[in-house]
């Protein structure tokens, strides 16, 4: 009897220590999209098809730019980085989401959850910086065309891209660390197909105000700051285009920016909705829908937006097919 009491007390002490260390929940169950088996299988097939097209489309852009010397310019160097990022961004979320929907991989360890959160948020932050760099590139090309080659040289292009990648990952490092220190005592079911910050905050049994504040500040610095740079660049671009006398010239200038502007509108609209808020108040079901748009729809649309609206890419495609 005494032994049983001692063992029970020891178990309680161990449970308390685990909870104090924030490790009482060692793995989470991802809920995904609840529904019938046929619905989830159909959704998994759609996700798999869209994921394959997104990877093939973005990889094709990288290959096309690498093969065509006419596309060896800063603008397409930035586009290649964006396509490379999109491949990894959608890969970080969709394969796991398909496993969740099929019921073959619904659990995720605590460390893997934090790693996925860090990976996706870092890539998302990098994309914000890259889009602002691409807007700045278009600003120089249209507002200072005679000085473009000297201002936007290969060295500056490489520096801007490197800064975008480093800035994106460094900006999320503190946030991921703070999230990893949260205590999770149960329940362990995440109402999502991936680990995102709102789901973690909803499950935590500790004070989440510091993480919510850090999320808000990082969002302001990363999302809104890069959005402002993009908007200011396009204000100058539109102003310069409207001063062009020739209709053909205005049309050509608009065509070079319309693709990028479409991507910017889609990306920043959904990202601001998800992250620029003082607390985690959005519906988790609504977050799932918007995250679906960010993680699979946007990476799928980008190759089509940039190729269908771009004469240089179309010519490079024709050249590549004729060469074959």
């Amino acid at each position: 009897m005494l032994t049983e009491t001692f063992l029970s007390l020891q178990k309680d002490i161990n449970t308390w220590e685990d909870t104090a260390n924030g490790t009482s929940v060692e793995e989470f169950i991802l809920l995904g999209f609840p529904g019938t088996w046929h619905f989830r299988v159909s959704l998994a097939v759609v996700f798999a098809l869209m994921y394959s097209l997104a990877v093939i489309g973005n990889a094709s852009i990288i290959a096309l730019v690498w093969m065509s010397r006419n596309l060896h310019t800063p603008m397409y160097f930035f586009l290649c980085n964006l396509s490379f990022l999109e491949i990894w961004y959608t890969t970080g979320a969709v394969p796991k989401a398909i496993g969740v929907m099929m019921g073959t991989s619904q659990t995720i360890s605590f460390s893997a959850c934090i790693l996925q959160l860090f990976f996706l948020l870092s890539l998302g932050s990098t994309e914000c910086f890259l889009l602002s760099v691409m807007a700045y590139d278009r600003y120089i090309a249209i507002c200072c065309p005679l000085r473009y080659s000297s201002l936007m040289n290969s060295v500056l292009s490489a520096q801007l891209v490197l800064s975008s990648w480093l800035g994106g990952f460094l900006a999320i490092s503190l946030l991921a660390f703070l999230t990893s220190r949260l205590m999770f005592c149960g329940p362990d079911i995440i109402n999502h197909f991936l680990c995102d910050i709102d789901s973690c905050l909803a499950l935590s049994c500790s004070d989440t105000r510091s993480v919510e504040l850090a999320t808000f500040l990082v969002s302001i610095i990363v999302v809104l700051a890069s959005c402002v740079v993009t908007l200011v660049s396009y204000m100058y671009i539109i102003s310069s285009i409207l001063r062009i006398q020739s209709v053909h010239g205005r049309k050509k200038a608009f065509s070079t920016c319309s693709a990028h502007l479409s991507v910017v509108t889609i990306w920043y609209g959904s990202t601001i909705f998800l992250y620029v808020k003082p607390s985690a108040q959005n519906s988790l079901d609504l977050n799932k829908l918007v995250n679906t748009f960010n993680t699979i729809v946007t990476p799928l649309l980008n190759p089509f937006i940039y190729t269908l609206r771009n004469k240089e890419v179309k010519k490079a495609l024709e050249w590549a097919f004729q060469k074959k």
Side-chain angles (χ1 to χ4, degrees):
M1 184 69 180
L2 186 61
T3 304
E4 291 179 359
T5 304
F6 175 77
L7 290 174
S8 177
L9 181 61
Q10 184 66 41
K11 184 178 180 181
D12 290 340
I13 291 172
N14 290 338
T15 302
W16 179 85
E17 287 178 346
D18 287 342
T19 302
N21 291 328
T23 58
S24 59
V25 175
E26 295 182 357
E27 66 177 18
F28 297 105
I29 299 172
L30 295 169
L31 190 60
F33 294 92
T36 64
W37 168 250
H38 295 291
F39 169 75
R40 287 185 283 118
V41 169
S42 300
L43 199 58
V45 171
V46 172
F47 267 53
L49 180 61
M50 294 177 72
Y51 170 69
S52 301
L53 290 174
V55 172
I56 292 170
N58 283 288
S60 298
I61 286 181
I62 296 172
L64 188 65
V65 172
W66 182 73
M67 289 188 299
S68 178
R69 291 187 177 274
N70 294 333
L71 301 182
H72 290 182
T73 63
M75 183 177 104
Y76 293 103
F77 174 63
F78 298 140
L79 179 57
C80 280
N81 275 271
L82 182 64
S83 294
F84 179 75
L85 183 149
E86 294 285 26
I87 291 172
W88 286 107
Y89 188 69
T90 192
T91 299
V94 177
K96 180 65 177 178
I98 293 172
V100 170
M101 285 180 277
M102 295 295 292
T104 58
S105 179
Q106 284 190 285
T107 60
I108 184 169
S109 67
F110 177 77
S111 57
C113 183
I114 296 299
L115 184 62
Q116 185 186 48
L117 183 147
F118 171 71
F119 188 69
L120 292 179
L121 289 181
S122 296
L123 289 175
S125 299
T126 303
E127 179 154 355
C128 288
F129 291 135
L130 274 177
L131 289 175
S132 63
V133 165
M134 293 172 76
Y136 177 66
D137 171 71
R138 291 300 84 204
Y139 158 74
I140 296 178
I142 291 174
C143 298
C144 313
L146 298 179
R147 301 173 59 198
Y148 177 75
S149 57
S150 60
L151 291 174
M152 190 57 71
N153 52 49
S154 58
V155 175
L156 180 60
S157 301
Q159 289 174 342
L160 289 172
V161 166
L162 182 61
S163 299
S164 297
W165 283 95
L166 287 177
F169 278 80
L170 289 175
I172 303 301
S173 299
L174 176 61
L175 180 59
F177 172 76
L178 291 175
T179 306
S180 69
R181 303 303 298 170
L182 290 175
M183 293 187 292
F184 297 91
C185 317
D188 60 353
I189 297 176
I190 295 179
N191 184 19
H192 213 308
F193 58 84
L194 54 82
C195 286
D196 76 331
I197 193 70
D198 283 353
S199 299
C200 290
L201 293 176
L203 289 182
S204 176
C205 57
S206 58
D207 188 357
T208 61
R209 284 177 296 181
S210 60
V211 181
E212 289 186 31
L213 178 61
T215 304
F216 181 63
L217 292 177
V218 168
S219 301
I220 293 293
I221 295 170
V222 174
V223 181
L224 289 188
S226 61
C227 186
V228 166
V229 171
T230 304
L231 288 176
V232 170
S233 296
Y234 271 99
M235 285 172 60
Y236 280 103
I237 288 170
I238 293 171
S239 176
S240 296
I241 291 174
L242 293 176
R243 289 199 298 267
I244 298 175
Q245 300 296 325
S246 130
V247 176
H248 175 72
R250 282 200 301 268
K251 186 177 179 181
K252 184 179 179 181
F254 267 121
S255 68
T256 61
C257 299
S258 58
H260 182 249
L261 194 56
S262 302
V263 173
V264 164
T265 304
I266 294 170
W267 175 258
Y268 279 113
S270 55
T271 304
I272 289 173
F273 170 82
L274 283 173
Y275 301 112
V276 184
K277 55 185 186 292
S279 62
Q281 295 174 342
N282 288 351
S283 163
L284 293 180
D285 288 323
L286 189 57
N287 280 3
K288 274 195 289 188
L289 182 62
V290 178
N291 268 126
T292 301
F293 203 80
N294 264 12
T295 56
I296 191 164
V297 177
T298 303
L300 173 64
L301 289 178
N302 282 357
F304 294 101
I305 290 173
Y306 280 109
T307 54
L308 294 177
R309 305 270 310 190
N310 194 306
K311 291 182 180 179
E312 291 178 325
V313 175
K314 286 180 181 179
K315 288 180 180 178
L317 277 171
E318 290 173 3
W319 173 82
F321 282 117
Q322 288 174 359
K323 189 176 180 181
K324 289 181 180 180

